[in-house]
Amino acid sequence: MISYIARRLLLVIPTMLGIMLLNFIIVQAAPGGPIQQVISQMRGDASDVDSRLGGSGDQMQRDQTFGTDQSYRGAQGIDPAFIKQLEKQFGFDKPAHERFFLMLKNYARFDFGKSYFRDKSVIEVIKAKLPVSISLGLWTTLLVYLISIPLGIRKAVHDGSRFDIITSGIVVVAYAVPSFLFALFLIVLFAGGSFFQFFPLRGLFSDHWSDLSFMGKITDYFWHLFLPLLAMVISGFAKLTLLTKNSFLEEINKQYVTTARAKGLEENKILYGHIFRNAMLIVIAGFPAAFVHILFTSSLLIEVLFSLDGLGLLGFEAALSRDYPVMFGCLYMFTLLGMFLHLIGDIMYMIVDRRIDLNASRELQTQ
């Protein structure tokens, strides 16, 4: 196992290089970079640009006419020296290959630089958003597994029964309805829409959270999380429930189960002593991917709808504003976390079933 883990860790380096290079090329080819964003803001809202750059309107000399810089759309009438100053500030005064290798050197030390428009380091920005995304991701994943696995097992054991048919209908509806539509329904019904206002619609904590007791803080925290978690769990448990059911059904119909029944073993002992270990392998293997999906993709619209300032919203806003340090910092952290979670999934494979030898599997594939 140690040699397999070491080999997988070494593969992280070329994988990260390939992902960062591909995304760097795509970002360089995309129109509307940070300098273009500043120019657009100058044309529409000069005060916002002044605050971002720490300068004044007089320094920019917006009212004077200068030569035209053809490199950026809308740069007519802007001092070319000011454009050069922006390029130096954002690091675009260097060739693309130098910027890429400098980025790799800094990222190897987890130095992601400073946000273009937030006046904070990328690490500080990500740290500020982590509590929201971790809360949504961990609690949603935990609840999805706690609901889906027992439900899937019972559906497999009672396959074709009335319980199986009714729950299958619920699962199909939950799978078909997007999480953001269900979230909108919850907001309209329970969060100050047209009916009731039982739950808050903004943030993870109330304004007076620091004044609450310990139990009061916990209650307030889950009170704010209830609707977002419910929206994400409803859309997330359906797929895992069906996966669990199909996995158990496949194992129930195998010969070793028939043999165990012929020997007179109890059903519960067969189910949890033999079937469970084999059927749960595919469910456990899917845990890292499920967690990454919930943490970094499914939560985006939920964060927007419930005004939760997390990593999903951060990445979305960074892409719109072309805040490249935040974009690449989030990408780097997401990719690194994803690869380590998949490695943990493989290790869990071997822990659950000692018969699995990933080193042997790799040797067979190379023959």
Side-chain angles (χ1 to χ4, degrees):
M1 181 184 293
I2 295 177
S3 62
Y4 174 78
I5 294 174
R7 190 161 52 243
R8 285 287 297 271
L9 291 176
L10 289 176
L11 285 174
V12 168
I13 299 175
T15 303
M16 290 296 301
L17 285 175
I19 292 174
M20 298 303 292
L21 177 61
L22 178 62
N23 284 274
F24 184 83
I25 293 173
I26 293 174
V27 166
Q28 296 303 309
I35 297 178
Q36 186 66 57
Q37 294 288 320
V38 173
I39 293 174
S40 299
Q41 289 291 333
M42 288 180 65
R43 298 301 186 187
D45 185 2
S47 62
D48 181 64
V49 178
D50 291 344
S51 63
R52 286 180 177 182
L53 298 178
S56 66
D58 293 336
Q59 290 173 339
M60 295 181 182
Q61 302 178 12
R62 292 186 299 270
D63 296 330
Q64 299 182 22
T65 302
F66 298 97
T68 300
D69 191 331
Q70 300 295 333
S71 301
Y72 304 100
R73 187 179 63 181
Q76 294 86 350
I78 299 179
D79 187 358
F82 175 67
I83 300 296
K84 296 296 183 183
Q85 177 187 346
L86 287 178
E87 290 179 343
K88 184 176 181 179
Q89 177 178 333
F90 292 130
F92 289 97
D93 56 332
K94 301 181 180 66
H97 68 279
E98 289 187 18
R99 300 201 306 272
F100 177 71
F101 286 114
L102 179 61
M103 181 182 70
L104 293 181
K105 178 182 177 181
N106 293 332
Y107 279 28
R109 298 182 284 112
F110 287 90
D111 179 10
F112 304 125
K114 191 174 182 179
S115 170
Y116 287 158
F117 305 124
R118 296 175 184 265
D119 197 28
K120 293 181 180 179
S121 68
V122 175
I123 289 293
E124 290 177 349
V125 174
I126 292 178
K127 283 183 178 179
K129 313 298 181 182
L130 271 177
V132 174
S133 294
I134 290 178
S135 295
L136 285 174
L138 286 178
W139 287 116
T140 301
T141 306
L142 178 63
L143 290 173
V144 164
Y145 270 75
L146 288 177
I147 294 172
S148 300
I149 292 177
L151 180 59
I153 293 174
R154 186 170 181 184
K155 284 174 63 64
V157 173
H158 301 282
D159 183 39
S161 65
R162 179 178 298 180
F163 172 82
D164 181 43
I165 295 173
I166 294 174
T167 53
S168 293
I170 297 174
V171 167
V172 169
V173 172
Y175 186 77
V177 177
S179 60
F180 73 92
L181 285 180
F182 189 70
L184 287 174
F185 169 77
L186 292 176
I187 290 173
V188 171
L189 191 59
F190 298 114
S194 303
F195 298 93
F196 308 102
Q197 190 170 2
F198 294 149
F199 299 97
L201 190 58
R202 182 178 298 274
L204 276 182
F205 310 104
S206 299
D207 294 335
H208 61 286
W209 187 80
S210 58
D211 299 328
L212 298 174
S213 64
F214 177 74
M215 290 304 301
K217 289 180 179 180
I218 295 178
T219 303
D220 183 77
Y221 170 72
F222 284 107
W223 182 49
H224 282 75
L225 270 181
F226 184 82
L227 290 185
L229 285 179
L230 182 59
M232 295 180 68
V233 168
I234 289 296
S235 63
F237 88 100
K239 184 176 181 180
L240 184 60
T241 299
L242 294 177
L243 177 64
T244 304
K245 177 189 175 182
N246 293 332
S247 179
F248 272 80
L249 277 178
E250 182 179 355
E251 294 297 323
I252 288 174
N253 295 323
K254 287 186 176 180
Q255 183 62 42
Y256 74 89
V257 176
T258 305
T259 304
R261 285 173 177 163
K263 291 181 178 180
L265 292 179
E266 297 179 357
E267 287 294 328
N268 284 338
K269 188 172 183 179
I270 296 174
L271 179 63
Y272 295 105
H274 296 78
I275 298 175
F276 186 85
R277 183 181 62 180
N278 297 325
M280 284 299 294
L281 286 175
I282 190 171
V283 179
I284 292 174
F287 176 82
F291 178 76
V292 172
H293 175 75
I294 291 172
L295 185 58
F296 301 132
T297 58
S298 296
S299 61
L300 171 58
L301 290 174
I302 300 298
E303 289 178 8
V304 174
L305 290 173
F306 289 97
S307 300
L308 298 172
D309 197 8
L311 289 177
L313 185 59
L314 172 66
F316 178 71
E317 291 177 344
L320 290 181
S321 63
R322 301 299 193 270
D323 197 344
Y324 291 160
V326 176
M327 287 175 57
F328 281 108
C330 291
L331 173 68
Y332 185 85
M333 295 299 295
F334 293 171
T335 305
L336 200 61
L337 180 61
M339 287 191 291
F340 278 110
L341 285 175
H342 282 289
L343 174 59
I344 291 173
D346 289 343
I347 296 174
M348 290 173 66
Y349 251 129
M350 291 184 283
I351 293 175
V352 173
D353 192 343
R354 297 291 182 178
R355 297 172 300 175
I356 295 178
D357 186 353
L358 295 173
N359 289 315
S361 300
R362 183 178 176 86
E363 292 173 0
L364 289 174
Q365 292 175 358
T366 57
Q367 290 180 356

